[in-house]
């Protein structure tokens, strides 16, 4: 798209979700495995991510959660954020805790260029899965 002197405004609200069940591996490289795409890639004018959260669907040990971006449809990845999900024992009398990626918020969004996509993973296997959710917008 050609440059324009006009400001870019949000055109489309955007959410994404993914369920991670396998433990991520090879995270010290640009080609880790067992990552899941978190929604669709940013639109033709790029996008913003304003919130990323994760919740376990079963009892979970403390788990390192990973957030990556890819500019080439998942051929290579760049680690952009990580959070620690606290251990939790699933019970009908307790709320399931939500882990928020604290570096991403409406006041400090993660900016994505056109076609860039988020991927998520966990360094700990949880067969029942960890549900990730993202909120943001395309320009």
């Amino acid at each position: 798209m050609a440059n324009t002197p006009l400001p870019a405004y949000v055109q489309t609200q955007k959410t994404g979700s993914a369920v991670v069940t396998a433990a991520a591996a090879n995270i010290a490289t640009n080609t880790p495995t067992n990552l899941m795409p978190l929604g669709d890639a940013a639109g033709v004018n790029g996008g913003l991510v304003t919130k990323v959260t994760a919740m376990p669907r079963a009892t979970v040990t403390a788990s390192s959660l990973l957030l990556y971006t890819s500019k080439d449809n998942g051929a290579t990845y760049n680690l952009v954020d990580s959070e620690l999900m606290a251990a939790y024992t699933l019970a009908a009398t307790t709320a399931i805790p939500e882990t928020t990626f604290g570096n991403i918020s409406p006041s400090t969004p993660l900016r994505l260029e056109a076609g860039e996509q988020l991927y998520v993973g966990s360094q700990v296997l949880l067969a029942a899965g960890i549900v990730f959710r993202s909120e943001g917008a395309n320009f």
Side-chain angles (χ1 to χ4, degrees):
M1 169 173 230
N3 290 336
T4 176
L6 302 174
Y9 294 102
V10 169
Q11 300 297 308
T12 309
Q13 297 296 323
K14 185 175 169 154
T15 62
S17 62
V19 178
V20 172
T21 56
N26 301 320
I27 66 167
T29 71
N30 286 338
T31 54
T33 57
N34 298 327
L35 302 180
M36 295 296 294
L38 184 56
D40 296 328
V44 296
N45 295 314
L48 294 176
V49 179
T50 56
K51 185 175 185 180
V52 176
T53 59
M55 295 177 73
R57 296 199 296 192
T59 296
V60 64
T61 61
S63 304
S64 171
L65 304 179
L66 308 167
L67 181 66
Y68 287 84
T69 64
S70 178
K71 297 180 182 182
D72 56 12
N73 296 314
T76 58
Y77 303 91
N78 289 299
L79 182 64
V80 294
D81 205 356
S82 178
E83 288 292 335
L84 179 64
M85 175 180 280
Y88 167 71
T89 301
L90 185 66
T93 57
T94 62
I96 299 172
E98 177 182 78
T99 301
T100 300
F101 282 73
N103 293 327
I104 301 169
S105 71
S107 61
T108 57
L110 176 62
R111 298 180 184 280
L112 301 176
E113 68 180 46
E116 192 171 4
Q117 186 167 10
L118 294 177
Y119 288 82
V120 291
S122 170
Q123 291 191 70
V124 178
L125 176 141
L126 183 61
I130 297 172
V131 180
F132 288 81
R133 178 176 166 83
S134 65
E135 298 176 8
N138 277 335
F139 291 116

